[in-house]
């Protein structure tokens, strides 16, 4: 069975008054207009959303100064501001692109709607004329058949009257006139019937041509619409892809600056730029009023001051590196004592295997060496394996109060 691929071959019915073919094409046009309006609305609202988002990001950027931050972290914050501005511009460009897509689609839909409406009106008019001509032809045919039957009846009545011996000349003349009248009426009905058939044929050919043109034009317009929509939606996805690529490039630029951020370096820079004499305040001694009255004010010489121990230097506690996976571990938690002589970076043997139960934990095996970072509350200890940091139960590397190294 040959597959029908053309509109012009697909939308016909043998019933002369059937309008289903044009009805199907007309309904398709209405459905297409609905889809077109939906896509138009999507582009329109998407353009607004991108513009609103861009303005919101720009407002956030204006609030992000970071002037007080120094060192590499300050550079990272300033880079974050620069790249966030780029993100805002990227979304602004995306909004403009969606506005262009909306304008193009709106213009295309209006043009197609006008053309299709003309085709529908012309084809429906031709179809209506054909159906009207058909109804006229059927009426003329029925009248023609009726007149033929009347003519036959009049002829039969005249023949019977002529053969009757009792008929008068007046009645015979009357029957003859009825026969002639019926004959004239039949001839007139016959002429009208033939004329209506000819008019119907002309209308049928005109309608058939209009229907063929409509099918061909509708198919051509549908091909153009599918091609335009495919290209338009493709451009839409390109806008999304570009915005995502730009966003990722901006994030990467900030990460590049952050990877050079060194905590001790930033602290040292602050100290170098703001350090004072480094001398601590002297001890305030008690001065007896009566003694001062008798002997004068006490002399605050170095020999009168008791010696003071030098306080230990408070070194900043450097937090361990973040795990490669899972949520960050809060450094607000204070570690619990693990044992004497065990410091950050010490090598510890695993006494008991453990399988990670979450993204912040590590899987370790018995006998494996891990790097001790800190003991956490809740019976967990943070260790480092290779480049990854994570949590394991403290019992896996310690039994009782003994630490196994």
């Amino acid at each position: 069975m040959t597959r029908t691929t053309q509109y012009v071959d697909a939308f016909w019915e043998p019933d002369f008054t059937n309008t289903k073919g044009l009805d199907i094409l007309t309904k398709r046009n209405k459905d297409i207009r609905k889809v077109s309006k939906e896509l138009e609305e999507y582009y329109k609202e998407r353009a607004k959303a991108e513009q609103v988002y861009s303005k919101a990001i720009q407002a956030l950027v204006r609030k992000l100064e970071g002037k007080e931050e120094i060192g590499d972290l300050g550079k990272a914050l300033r880079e974050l501001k620069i790249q966030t501005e780029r993100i805002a511009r990227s979304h602004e460009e995306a909004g403009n692109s969606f506005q262009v897509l909306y304008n193009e689609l709106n213009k295309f839909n209006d043009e197609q709607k006008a053309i299709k409406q003309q085709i529908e009106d012309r084809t429906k008019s031709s179809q209506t004329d054909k159906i009207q001509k058909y109804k006229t032809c059927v009426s003329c045919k029925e009248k023609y058949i009726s007149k033929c039957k009347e003519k036959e009846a009049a002829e039969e009545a005249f023949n019977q009257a002529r053969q009757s011996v009792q008929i008068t000349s007046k009645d015979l003349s009357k029957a003859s006139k009825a026969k002639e009248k019926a004959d004239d009426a039949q001839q007139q009905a016959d002429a009208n019937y033939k004329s209506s058939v000819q008019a119907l044929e002309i209308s049928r050919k005109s309608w058939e041509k209009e229907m063929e043109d409509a099918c061909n034009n509708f198919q051509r317009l549908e091909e153009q619409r599918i091609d335009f929509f495919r290209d338009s939606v493709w451009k839409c996805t390109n806008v999304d892809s570009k915005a995502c690529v730009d966003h990722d490039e901006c994030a990467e630029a900030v990460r590049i600056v952050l990877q050079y951020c060194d905590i001790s370096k930033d602290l040292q820079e602050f100290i170098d730029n703001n350090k004072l004499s480094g001398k601590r305040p002297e001890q305030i001694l008690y001065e007896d009023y009566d003694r001062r009255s008798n002997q004068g004010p006490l002399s605050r010489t170095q020999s009168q001051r008791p010696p003071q121990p030098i306080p230990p230097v408070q070194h900043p506690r450097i937090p361990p590196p973040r795990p490669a996976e899972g949520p960050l571990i809060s450094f607000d938690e204070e570690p619990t004592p693990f044992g004497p002589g065990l410091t950050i970076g010490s090598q510890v043997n695993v006494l008991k295997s453990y399988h990670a139960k979450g993204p912040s934990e590590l899987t370790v095996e018995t006998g494996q060496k891990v790097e001790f970072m800190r003991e956490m509350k809740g019976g967990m200890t943070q260790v480092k394996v290779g480049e990854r940091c994570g949590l394991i139960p403290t019992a896996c590397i310690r039994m009782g109060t003994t630490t196994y190294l």
Side-chain angles (χ1 to χ4, degrees), residues 13 30 59 90 106 134 159 175 212 288 303 348:
E13 283 292 335
K30 290 181 180 178
S90 176
N106 181 264
Y134 175 77
N159 291 333
E212 288 178 353
D288 187 280
S303 61
V348 180

Side-chain angles (χ1 to χ4, degrees), residues 176-375:
S176 176
K177 289 180 179 180
K179 172 180 170 298
E180 291 176 359
K181 185 177 180 181
D183 186 57
D184 291 340
Q186 183 271 339
Q187 289 181 6
Q188 183 62 42
D190 180 63
N192 292 337
Y193 176 41
K194 289 179 180 179
S195 176
S196 67
V197 169
Q198 292 174 355
L200 177 60
E201 179 60 16
I202 294 172
S203 179
R204 184 195 66 80
K205 289 181 178 180
S206 176
W207 166 80
E208 187 171 310
K209 184 178 183 308
E210 290 292 345
M211 186 63 180
E212 288 178 353
D213 291 342
C215 289
N216 291 329
N217 287 327
F218 283 146
Q219 182 166 346
R220 175 179 56 81
L221 292 171
E222 183 68 354
E223 290 170 354
Q224 292 176 357
R225 186 192 68 84
I226 294 174
D227 181 67
F228 184 89
F229 273 43
R230 181 183 60 179
D231 182 66
S232 181
V233 176
W234 192 286
K235 289 178 181 178
C236 169
T237 59
N238 285 344
V239 173
D240 282 334
S241 295
K242 183 180 183 301
C244 291
V245 170
D246 291 344
H247 203 150
D248 184 68
E249 289 177 352
C250 294
E252 181 63 20
V254 177
R255 287 193 292 265
I256 290 174
V257 177
L258 279 174
Q259 69 181 355
Y260 294 106
C261 178
D262 183 88
I263 298 175
S264 59
K265 180 181 175 182
D266 283 9
L267 292 176
Q268 189 62 51
E269 181 177 341
F270 174 75
I271 292 171
D272 293 342
N273 293 334
N274 299 276
K275 64 182 179 181
L276 303 178
S277 64
K279 296 181 180 180
R280 303 190 179 200
E282 296 178 351
Q283 181 181 0
I284 305 298
L285 301 177
Y286 171 76
E287 297 182 11
D288 187 280
Y289 180 81
D290 293 334
R291 183 181 178 187
R292 185 182 61 176
S293 300
N294 297 330
Q295 300 181 3
L298 291 175
S299 174
R300 297 186 61 184
T301 61
Q302 185 68 27
S303 61
Q304 293 176 318
R305 301 191 202 101
Q308 301 181 39
I310 301 176
V313 178
Q314 299 293 326
H315 295 286
R317 179 164 58 88
I318 301 176
R322 53 177 270 186
E325 298 178 358
L328 293 176
I329 300 171
S330 172
F331 292 108
D332 294 334
E333 299 183 36
E334 289 297 326
T336 58
F338 194 88
L342 192 59
T343 61
I344 295 176
S346 299
Q347 295 292 318
V348 180
N349 286 332
V350 177
L351 302 178
K352 182 180 178 182
S353 300
Y354 179 73
H355 292 278
K357 299 177 181 175
S360 63
E361 299 181 353
L362 290 178
T363 297
V364 294
E365 302 293 339
T366 303
Q368 181 181 355
K369 286 186 177 296
V370 298
E371 189 176 337
F372 173 79
M373 301 306 293
R374 58 189 285 179
E375 187 176 7

Side-chain angles (χ1 to χ4, degrees), residues 27 37 117 121-122 135 158 188 210 246 328 338 356:
K27 182 179 182 302
K37 285 296 181 184
Q117 192 62 52
D121 292 344
R122 189 168 59 246
K135 291 180 179 179
F158 175 75
Q188 183 62 42
E210 290 292 345
D246 291 344
L328 293 176
F338 194 88

